[in-house]
Amino acid sequence: MTQIAIPNIGNYTVALATAVESLGIKPWASTATTPEALKLGTEAAPESVCLPLKAHLGHFIAADRAGVEYALMVNSVGTCRLRYYRHMIEQILKDLGLKIRIFGLGFDGFKPPLVRHFDPGPITFLKPLFHAGEQIRAIDEMETLAWKTRPIELAHGETTRVMNKLLLELSRCRTLAESRAVRRTTASRFATIAVDRSKKPLKVGLVGEVSFLRDKCLNKNIEYLLGDQGIEVKNFFSLGEELRNIARIVLLNKNRGRELLDIADRYLQTTVGGHALDSVAHSIRCAELGYDGMVHLAPCGCMPEVGVRPILKRVSQDKDIPILELSFDEHTCDVGITTRLEAFADVLRERRRKRAAVGVS
Amino acid sequence: MFKRLFKNAPAWIGGAETPAPVALRIGIPRMFAYYIYPALWETFFKDLGMVPVVSGRSTMQTVRLGAQISETEHCLPNKLFDAHLAELVGQVDRVFVPRVLSTIKDHLSCPKFGPLPDAARAGIARDAVVLSVDIDETKTPLVETLHRLGRLLHTPRDRAAAAAEHGLSAMRAAHARMAAPLGRKGGPRFLLIGHPYVLHDDFLAGPVVQKLARMEAEVHRISFGDEAPAKSHILWSTSNKIFHKINSLAPGEYAGVIQLTVFNCGCDSMLIDTFRRAMKEKGVPYMHLMVDEHLSQSGMDTRIEAFLDSLAWAR
Ligand code: SF4
């Protein structure tokens, strides 16, 4: 069977794999970039490019070595380096003498070139889309529950076990009905986890660059690390939300960007590119909603995200919300990140204690 | 509320209480927009009866200040920009930080330029009044943007229009001046490529230009004043301009091309390779030099000498 490498977008990869599989193509994927792939990418790419490119590239080189003929990647129409990824990756793969052929996903005509190439007919083309949509919805529901449960679980690791089991089941679903059935059991499955309801966990929002928000290898598994510290997280990249936004733009000509601009108001008056506006707007919102802190994740030197860091610092001061800025490159080590997160958690706990003492809720 | 209303109100609303109008002092950081639109801002503001104040030339001092006060991961020019901005805060009535979104129709600026005025207000220029205007040449011709800027400053329409005209012609003249070769006339011709605010900054490009001149070369810097480049896969305006220029080089036009990149520049990091390939295909000798905060003249000198030696040997 034809094989195609698909990009790593965290747990969402499961849904993407399902869609590809129902086209009759075998997906080659993992939910996180493997350390080996990252190493391959780092060696092959120019040193000064940003880390997500190296991750992408490494993933494709590893796929080619495994005998995969095709690869799928997102075409960006944005302002930052992402737009040039495909061009650069194709050049490098060619120089390395690799045969793997890349298809862009979306944004150039209604039918993606991949579909045109394999031409599965309209029904076979639409069905997987709905199925993947259902799975994305299921994954979003699971994640939300996992973020809430992990910090108060009694048996360490239980949440992660339940989560992984559900994901595995979801990945085995062949029809929309099966996936829906799994989604409907999600809440009750999480409810079986023994928790300490008396705990009032700290709440932290995760904002920043997408692959760092979602790729557990790149972000050193930050959701788990924070959960282990007894912190409830909310990750502000949701694929379900992105897709709903695209639908809103197409159908209603309503862009979430405008809402975010209203929130960011006097701090940022442009969308910048990437998810930089989201980072600023969500930080402001979270401060108002009483979050205890934010973590801003970005690859070192990320053009849009670094561009708004002075603004995040000001939001942090004005709105009194601690924001931890984390930057990652190929030399970032797990221990360093863990240490910084522990220190951050201490700050947040201390801050909450002090606020409780003076009666600020 | 009322305070805010009055702060933004034109001076004449204040009536008898307002002191005799003194010319508004407008600070212009000597980075980014200052070089992208050379001579435009000084001419324009002066014609509106204001006093443009341009920050000093970049020196090692500027670099040190930038390293202290700017974002650690900013590109070097953005750090320099912050230092130039800081130099003006407290010295002027307004600091001018336009939001440069697009400088050529259907092209985009570097994503760092979008949040620049917001970042200035949030940080370095928090105690100053930031004057800003959106420059998006994809949507609005530059001259109309200047008219808008005139309105923001409460200047009569025809005065702003005349100032805009004058400013634009001063800019064209400045572009021509900036394209004039340096070094020894008639020496081997070298082309320097890079962002305009890199090629014309004393700290960033000075050492390279001087070294080439000392080696009796005729130094040309790519001009950003001429017509829009052909469309390509590159959407960043400066980068596509450079791409276009090197694609249209005539054989033998230059003895060599030197690309001057800056530390942590995202655009450069994506395109060095593309440019190198293009030059290789054309058979034009090419070298890439990266400037960082620790620029050492001797290091630069050695590399330039080696490059020129290799050319002499090839001939
Ligand atoms: S193009 Fe490069 S040097 Fe210029 S502002 Fe952007 S990142 Fe900095």
Side-chain angles (χ1 to χ4, degrees), chain B:
Chain B
M1 175 71 198
F2 278 117
K3 230 171 115 194
R4 234 176 100 188
L5 249 180
F6 280 121
K7 216 168 81 192
N8 292 333
W12 48 263
I13 283 190
E17 235 99 81
T18 3
V22 248
L24 207 60
R25 290 165 62 83
I26 308 233
I28 305 170
R30 196 185 286 269
M31 232 315 125
F32 294 152
Y34 174 81
Y35 289 113
I36 298 173
Y37 298 110
L40 173 60
W41 310 115
E42 300 102 296
T43 317
F44 182 73
F45 291 131
K46 207 181 275 165
D47 279 14
L48 295 186
M50 297 162 190
V51 182
V53 181
V54 182
S55 59
R57 296 179 164 278
S58 300
T59 60
M60 196 61 213
Q61 212 47 46
T62 325
V63 177
R64 277 201 207 110
L65 180 61
Q68 268 170 32
I69 61 172
S70 189
E71 277 297 314
T72 337
E73 286 168 43
H74 262 335
C75 58
L76 187 49
N78 209 329
K79 288 189 181 182
L80 286 175
F81 175 84
D82 281 352
H84 282 283
L85 182 62
E87 185 189 318
L88 293 165
V89 170
Q91 310 294 317
V92 291
D93 303 306
R94 306 268 191 283
V95 285
F96 179 56
V97 186
R99 191 190 307 282
V100 185
L101 297 168
S102 160
T103 61
I104 305 175
K105 201 168 166 36
D106 298 325
H107 284 67
L108 293 172
S109 295
C110 165
K112 294 247 159 144
F113 289 167
L116 212 57
D118 304 304
R121 286 191 185 105
I124 311 244
R126 68 189 327 178
D127 299 322
V129 184
V130 175
L131 171 68
S132 187
V133 70
D134 285 11
I135 302 177
D136 185 347
E137 294 199 47
T138 295
K139 288 196 194 133
T140 316
L142 186 56
V143 60
E144 276 173 37
T145 303
L146 291 172
H147 295 168
R148 252 200 76 215
L149 184 56
R151 280 200 296 283
L152 283 176
L153 289 163
H154 311 291
T155 38
R157 188 185 291 247
D158 28 329
R159 188 162 185 197
E165 271 319 307
H166 187 199
L168 289 173
S169 71
M171 178 173 86
R172 282 188 289 272
H175 272 308
R177 269 199 310 281
M178 286 157 78
L182 304 167
R184 189 174 71 88
K185 260 223 150 59
R189 291 155 61 97
F190 283 86
L191 176 67
L192 280 183
I193 54 178
H195 303 294
Y197 44 85
V198 173
L199 296 186
H200 295 276
D201 182 84
D202 278 10
F203 177 85
L204 299 173
V208 176
V209 172
Q210 281 149 29
K211 176 64 188 173
L212 282 167
R214 261 182 280 129
M215 295 191 71
E216 314 248 285
E218 186 180 300
V219 189
H220 294 252
R221 285 166 295 182
I222 178 173
S223 164
F224 290 87
D226 33 295
E227 78 303 343
K231 289 202 104 181
S232 76
H233 73 285
I234 305 171
L235 230 79
W236 287 321
S237 37
T238 347
S239 307
N240 195 33
K241 201 116 199 195
I242 298 175
F243 190 54
H244 180 74
K245 173 82 180 177
I246 59 182
N247 278 334
S248 48
L249 286 186
E253 198 175 340
Y254 295 100
V257 171
I258 300 178
Q259 185 185 5
L260 210 56
T261 65
V262 271
F263 186 64
N264 248 345
C265 168
C267 302
D268 287 350
S269 76
M270 291 311 276
L271 292 161
I272 295 169
D273 235 42
T274 310
F275 295 165
R276 179 186 295 128
R277 265 172 229 273
M279 297 319 308
K280 202 168 169 197
E281 268 167 37
K282 285 208 160 246
V284 181
Y286 162 90
M287 177 175 65
H288 151 231
L289 287 174
M290 172 146 75
V291 183
D292 64 15
E293 284 161 33
H294 319 289
L295 173 101
S296 88
Q297 177 78 54
S298 63
M300 279 285 166
D301 287 1
T302 323
R303 293 210 48 200
I304 294 172
E305 279 163 24
F307 182 55
L308 265 58
D309 283 351
S310 74
L311 299 182
W313 180 80
R315 247 183 270 135

Side-chain angles (χ1 to χ4, degrees), chain A residues 246-254:
Chain A
I246 293 175
R248 271 197 298 267
I249 296 172
V250 175
L251 302 174
L252 309 168
N253 189 25
K254 257 197 198 150

Side-chain angles (χ1 to χ4, degrees), chain A residues 10 23 54 58 61 100 108 110 141 227 230 248 284 286 306 328 361:
Chain A
L23 292 173
K54 297 176 185 172
I61 298 176
I100 193 162
D108 62 349
F110 175 64
E141 286 183 23
R248 271 197 298 267
I284 296 172
C286 288
V306 170
F328 299 78
S361 65

